[in-house]
């Protein structure tokens, strides 16, 4: 059961967007306007060159090139910040606000400043991940210190451990407060964008005005209803004038 719980454990890896952008650039900075993933084209070229000589060698060279250049790209990107469990879920909730802001930013049109919010949002998400990671590490340190000093006899070492644990717990609370404040600010921005989007929708509907509709014309069922009412009334009147069966037998 514990194995299944570990599989369901939420894990996120958040990378520094500045290093990711750097990793997508060419290895030589003197080339103008490169395309991301340029090195992928080297794989089929090497295969074509070496294939007449030795198919196995061509395959091995191609695989080595993929792993070598891919590893170099990952190195330049950095390992990123790994978040697990509650820390990962906190970041996922914040990331949902970042996605909502990104979607709503286009609705600002010419009022948007900056025009492209994506780099700012990516850096904000990375900073939030750093806050979450720092808070988690500080809380884990305090918890580990509390557990380690439990077996100590009363004395200076135990007192120092308690003091350090309290300082770490206080720092973890401060980091948590900073994270909560930033997420709250994101929530306010997302709410403002939602309000602006609704207002623009209402303005568009008011400007368009009500849809044009055609007059339905005379109701044909009204005439039928009038004739039917007259016929039924006459039928009821005639039914009242008919003699009963006893009167006809007499």
């Amino acid at each position: 059961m514990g194995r299944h719980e570990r599989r369901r454990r939420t894990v996120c890896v958040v990378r520094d967007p500045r290093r990711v952008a750097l990793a997508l650039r060419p290895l030589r900075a003197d080339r103008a306007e490169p395309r991301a993933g340029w090195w992928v084209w080297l794989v089929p070229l090497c295969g074509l060159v070496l294939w007449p000589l030795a198919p196995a060698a061509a395959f091995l060279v191609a695989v080595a090139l993929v792993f070598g250049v891919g590893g170099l790209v990952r190195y330049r990107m950095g390992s990123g910040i790994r978040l697990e469990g509650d820390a990962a879920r906190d970041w996922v909730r914040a990331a949902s606000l970042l996605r909502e802001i990104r979607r709503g930013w286009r609705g600002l049109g010419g009022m948007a400043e900056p025009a492209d919010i994506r780099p700012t949002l990516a850096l904000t998400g990375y900073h939030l991940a750093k806050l979450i990671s720092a808070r988690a590490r500080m809380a884990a340190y305090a918890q580990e210190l509390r557990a380690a000093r439990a077996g100590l006899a009363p004395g200076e070492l135990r007192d120092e451990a308690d003091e350090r644990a309290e300082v770490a717990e206080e720092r973890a609370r401060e980091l948590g407060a900073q994270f909560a404040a930033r997420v709250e600010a994101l929530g306010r921005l997302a709410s403002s964008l939602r309000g602006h989007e609704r207002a623009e929708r209402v303005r568009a509907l008011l400007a368009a005005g009500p849809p044009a509709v055609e007059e339905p014309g005379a109701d044909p069922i009204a005439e039928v209803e009038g004739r039917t009412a007259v016929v039924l009334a006459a039928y009821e009147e005639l039914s009242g004038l008919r003699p009963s069966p006893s009167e006809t037998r007499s």
Side-chain angles (χ1 to χ4, degrees), residues 23-28 31 34-42 69:
L24 295 179
R25 296 176 184 175
L27 298 181
R28 291 182 56 187
R31 294 187 179 181
R35 293 184 180 180
W38 56 270
W39 51 271
V40 176
W41 296 101
L42 297 177
V69 179

Side-chain angles (χ1 to χ4, degrees), residues 12-16 19-20 73-83 126:
C12 296
V13 177
V14 185
R15 303 184 187 278
D16 188 342
R19 298 198 65 178
V20 173
V73 170
R74 286 193 298 271
Y75 171 76
R76 296 180 70 185
M77 290 175 62
S79 58
I81 300 174
R82 182 181 177 87
L83 303 174
Y126 179 68

Side-chain angles (χ1 to χ4, degrees), residues 115 148-149 172 214:
R149 50 78 66 197
E214 297 181 1

Side-chain angles (χ1 to χ4, degrees), residues 188-206:
R188 289 195 300 269
L189 178 56
S191 178
S192 299
L193 292 174
R194 286 194 299 268
H196 174 75
E197 185 178 3
R198 294 191 189 99
E200 288 299 307
R201 176 61 177 166
V202 171
R203 291 189 184 97
L205 291 173
L206 292 176

Side-chain angles (χ1 to χ4, degrees), residues 143-238:
Q143 184 177 4
E144 186 177 1
L145 194 56
R146 294 281 190 189
R149 50 78 66 197
L152 292 177
E156 294 183 0
L157 184 59
R158 182 168 178 172
D159 294 341
E160 183 179 357
D162 289 338
E163 183 178 352
R164 292 287 185 90
E166 291 175 1
V167 171
E169 290 168 350
E170 179 62 26
R171 180 55 179 161
R173 286 191 292 268
E174 291 176 359
L175 293 170
Q178 292 182 31
F179 173 75
R182 296 193 183 190
V183 171
E184 185 178 356
L186 290 176
R188 289 195 300 269
L189 178 56
S191 178
S192 299
L193 292 174
R194 286 194 299 268
H196 174 75
E197 185 178 3
R198 294 191 189 99
E200 288 299 307
R201 176 61 177 166
V202 171
R203 291 189 184 97
L205 291 173
L206 292 176
V213 294
E214 297 181 1
E215 292 295 331
D219 187 7
I221 201 66
E223 184 180 355
V224 174
E225 184 214 2
R227 291 199 306 267
T228 303
V230 172
V231 171
L232 291 177
Y235 176 78
E236 292 295 334
E237 184 178 355
L238 291 176

Side-chain angles (χ1 to χ4, degrees), residues 99-115 117 192-201 203:
R99 287 192 298 270
E100 183 178 356
I101 293 171
R102 179 179 176 180
R103 289 192 300 267
W105 199 255
R106 294 189 295 267
L108 296 178
M111 298 184 296
E113 180 60 36
I117 195 66
S192 299
L193 292 174
R194 286 194 299 268
H196 174 75
E197 185 178 3
R198 294 191 189 99
E200 288 299 307
R201 176 61 177 166
R203 291 189 184 97

